[in-house]
Amino acid sequence: MKNKILYIAAFTCAITAGCKKQLDQTPISTSTTATFFASNSDFIQATNAVYADLRTYPDRMLNLSETRSDNSYAVADGPRDWEPINNFARSISANAYVIEAWNTNFNGIYRANTLLDKLVTNASAITDPTLKTRLTAEARFLRAFMYFDLVRWFGKVPIINKVVSVNESLTIPRSPVSDVYNFIIDDLKFAADNLPDVYSAAADKGRATKFAAKGILALVYMTRSGPTYNIEGPGLGTNDWQTALGLLNEIIASGKYSFLSSFANIFSYTNEGNAEVVFDINYSTGSNPVVGGTFPWLLVPDLYFTSIGKPVQGGLLIRPVSNNLVSSYAAGDVRKDFTIFTQGFTATGGGSEVRPFFKKYLDITKVPTNRLDWPINYIVMRYTDVLMLKAECILKGASGTQAEVDAIVNQVRTRAGLTTPVSGTTLPQLMEERRREFAAEGLRWHDLVRSGLVTTVMPAWIAVDDIQKSIQPFQNNYVIYPIPQSELNAAPGLYTQNAGY
């Protein structure tokens, strides 16, 4: 596997020391910063360390979005952290997945703030002013990316735009969602204006580009434009659809990306960084310490690996795909068999399974000995997503025609092997097409929330698919997650728990 930008260990060790908790923004020691930030390469390594906190982003999308949605019926055969996520349990403020989402993002924000501080105070150590501007833009892109992740999961969060002490962190309240968005948008606009279109050096593949920033910024505007649900969540009803459309059109007009003719080739282990990829998280394998991907096996039961004679991965039970999703694919849709394993299997030594599970990122010829070292990148945003987001903006009132929407949907369906064209595509129909296209990519929950369909789709799905009657009735409060209890305990009275938990 080629050398990637993520997980440069030297700076990661130095910069992590001051971040035991998400708000423990203690600066690394004077001696450490004085000796480390002394050259161009030091600042590059520091930037790589910020990227490193994206490592678990794919896992988070599968655990908190895919599992929460109607794509999965994740009622466990034994106690597992994902079951209360699936079931809309109220008592999940101590859930490991919820805590990880908060802590990892704030750890990355801490690293980004440290880097941004040193880019100013140690500016003379960088001999290339163009590099300084680019690294500043990368840090601000990553900080915005992490804040966007936080606001979608938790709603209001504290805005920390500099390195602060532990005592200072215990006085910073959660900011209104509108303020968090303004902060995110300011960072992403700077990134879009100052990042390069592409990177020529192989060592820089996977870094954020101008168009990655524009794509995430478009999604920010769209998410902010979603309904409020009368909670302090990610939707503010701001009607930014036209602004988002302009950014998406810039990506399309750039000519940097294209629509692959083969659905499977988008995810091929030998076709990483293909023309579909607008932004992805890069992994390096064979390193010590291990820094490969962990997401390909996350939704796959270990019995399946033993049934094909491969090493056990995570010790996981099955997290089944919902019957509703499986049956939504039309006959001949190639995406179904590529995305979902439906044949059933019997494991060597006993044990069998007939329920379907996701296998989109699974290549059984690439199963590593170490389950933490999968050699595949995770695509955060791809060109098909850009096209379908454009269709969504048009349906939400941005400039464009029904014919444009239908053309995008038919392009996607044709690649999937469906030859009968559709017309008059509605928003619910577009979201169902997105559901089939992006299943197992972690987008479904956010799609439902942003579109306003979550309040109708989830109750209807629960009524039919919840055969064990284990899922709590849906309520608007469940659009976001609770603040981790550990954060409430760290500074009693500073935060108020999200309603419904």
Side-chain angles (χ1 to χ4, degrees):
M1 192 72 172
K2 53 190 175 295
N3 188 30
K4 303 286 180 71
I5 65 169
L6 282 174
Y7 318 130
I8 304 299
F11 184 76
T12 300
C13 295
I15 201 169
T16 303
C19 205
K20 294 183 295 181
K21 291 176 179 273
Q22 93 299 347
L23 291 181
D24 288 355
Q25 304 271 316
T26 308
I28 49 184
S29 69
T30 302
S31 59
T32 301
T33 57
T35 57
F36 187 84
F37 290 95
S39 67
N40 290 357
S41 61
D42 290 345
F43 282 93
I44 291 172
Q45 287 193 55
T47 306
N48 294 347
V50 187
Y51 280 97
D53 269 312
L54 298 181
R55 187 187 183 193
T56 55
Y57 178 81
D59 305 55
R60 190 179 315 131
M61 294 293 279
L62 299 180
N63 288 326
L64 296 184
S65 175
E66 207 71 38
T67 299
R68 190 77 152 180
S69 77
D70 55 341
N71 281 358
S72 298
Y73 185 52
V75 177
D77 295 336
R80 288 295 185 271
D81 287 328
W82 66 72
E83 186 167 28
I85 299 296
N86 175 87
N87 292 348
F88 296 120
R90 298 184 63 187
S91 55
I92 55 173
S93 61
N95 183 277
Y97 299 148
V98 173
I99 294 170
E100 187 278 333
W102 184 280
N103 286 353
T104 303
N105 277 308
F106 273 110
N107 192 66
I109 290 164
Y110 163 73
R111 291 179 176 181
N113 284 337
T114 300
L115 172 58
L116 288 167
D117 175 71
K118 298 307 171 186
L119 283 165
V120 174
T121 59
N122 289 39
S124 61
I126 301 183
T127 58
D128 182 352
T130 301
L131 177 63
K132 177 187 174 184
T133 300
R134 193 201 85 194
L135 295 181
T136 301
E138 285 187 78
R140 293 186 66 174
F141 169 87
L142 291 166
R143 183 172 66 178
F145 186 92
M146 292 166 185
Y147 262 115
F148 183 43
D149 197 43
L150 286 166
V151 81
R152 290 198 291 179
W153 298 131
F154 301 107
K156 297 192 302 179
V157 290
I159 296 175
I160 304 174
N161 61 359
K162 62 181 180 179
V163 179
V164 299
S165 69
V166 174
N167 288 337
E168 287 175 315
S169 74
L170 298 177
T171 67
I172 302 174
R174 297 164 72 192
S175 293
V177 171
S178 58
D179 291 350
V180 179
Y181 272 125
N182 289 338
F183 185 64
I184 292 169
I185 290 168
D186 187 56
D187 270 355
L188 287 175
K189 283 182 174 179
F190 181 90
D193 289 341
N194 291 281
L195 287 171
D197 293 6
V198 295
Y199 293 86
S200 56
D204 290 329
K205 299 300 182 184
R207 296 189 184 278
T209 66
K210 175 188 300 292
F211 297 109
K214 288 179 183 290
I216 299 301
L217 181 55
L219 188 55
V220 167
Y221 280 125
M222 294 175 70
T223 303
R224 189 174 73 163
S225 298
T228 68
Y229 300 103
N230 295 314
I231 65 171
E232 295 181 294
L236 298 179
T238 52
N239 196 28
D240 294 316
W241 305 104
Q242 187 65 43
T243 303
L245 178 63
L247 292 162
L248 296 169
N249 279 335
E250 288 182 42
I251 298 171
I252 295 167
S254 72
K256 303 294 182 184
Y257 312 96
S258 61
F259 189 84
L260 265 62
S261 60
S262 166
F263 183 74
N265 282 349
I266 299 171
F267 309 97
S268 171
Y269 282 55
T270 59
N271 196 33
E272 291 179 303
N274 59 67
E276 277 264 355
V277 178
V278 178
F279 182 60
D280 63 351
I281 296 172
N282 282 218
Y283 293 89
S284 179
T285 60
S287 303
N288 186 16
V290 174
V291 290
T294 57
F295 62 92
W297 56 266
L298 202 63
L299 304 179
V300 182
D302 263 348
L303 276 178
Y304 174 72
F305 290 108
T306 60
S307 75
I308 58 174
K310 299 294 183 180
V312 169
Q313 296 299 297
L316 299 181
L317 303 175
I318 192 170
R319 205 180 310 189
V321 176
S322 73
N323 293 330
N324 179 267
L325 175 59
V326 173
S327 63
S328 74
Y329 289 91
D333 192 328
V334 301
R335 296 172 298 187
K336 178 181 178 180
D337 287 343
F338 183 82
T339 302
I340 305 171
F341 187 90
T342 59
Q343 296 96 317
F345 62 87
T346 300
T348 304
S352 61
E353 184 58 74
V354 297
R355 291 170 292 179
F357 59 86
F358 285 121
K359 66 177 186 69
K360 180 173 263 182
Y361 278 101
L362 193 64
D363 182 337
I364 62 173
T365 70
K366 306 290 186 182
V367 180
T369 302
N370 189 322
R371 65 186 178 89
L372 306 179
D373 205 25
W374 281 78
I376 182 65
N377 297 340
Y378 176 84
I379 304 173
V380 174
M381 178 172 282
R382 54 186 173 95
Y383 189 64
T384 304
D385 196 11
V386 172
L387 295 175
M388 298 187 84
L389 290 175
K390 174 179 178 175
E392 183 180 342
C393 287
I394 294 172
L395 290 175
K396 284 288 191 175
S399 59
T401 66
Q402 183 69 52
E404 288 180 86
V405 173
D406 292 340
I408 290 169
V409 172
N410 283 319
Q411 184 179 17
V412 172
R413 288 172 55 83
T414 298
R415 181 174 64 190
L418 305 175
T419 57
T420 303
V422 298
S423 61
T425 306
T426 63
L427 182 65
Q429 289 169 337
L430 176 67
M431 287 298 137
E432 279 299 297
E433 202 61 59
R434 283 183 61 86
R435 182 190 189 193
R436 291 183 283 269
E437 176 73 15
F438 300 109
E441 295 180 51
L443 305 189
R444 179 59 172 172
W445 183 255
H446 295 316
D447 281 358
L448 288 173
V449 171
R450 184 183 67 251
S451 65
L453 297 174
V454 69
T455 57
T456 54
V457 168
M458 290 307 298
W461 172 75
I462 292 168
V464 175
D465 261 27
D466 183 22
I467 58 175
Q468 295 188 27
K469 306 302 180 186
S470 58
I471 304 178
Q472 299 298 311
F474 176 81
Q475 57 175 273
N476 289 3
N477 291 325
Y478 298 152
V479 163
I480 55 176
Y481 284 91
I483 302 301
Q485 187 61 44
S486 55
E487 307 311 320
L488 300 179
N489 296 341
L494 182 64
Y495 302 155
T496 300
Q497 184 57 279
N498 287 333
Y501 296 100

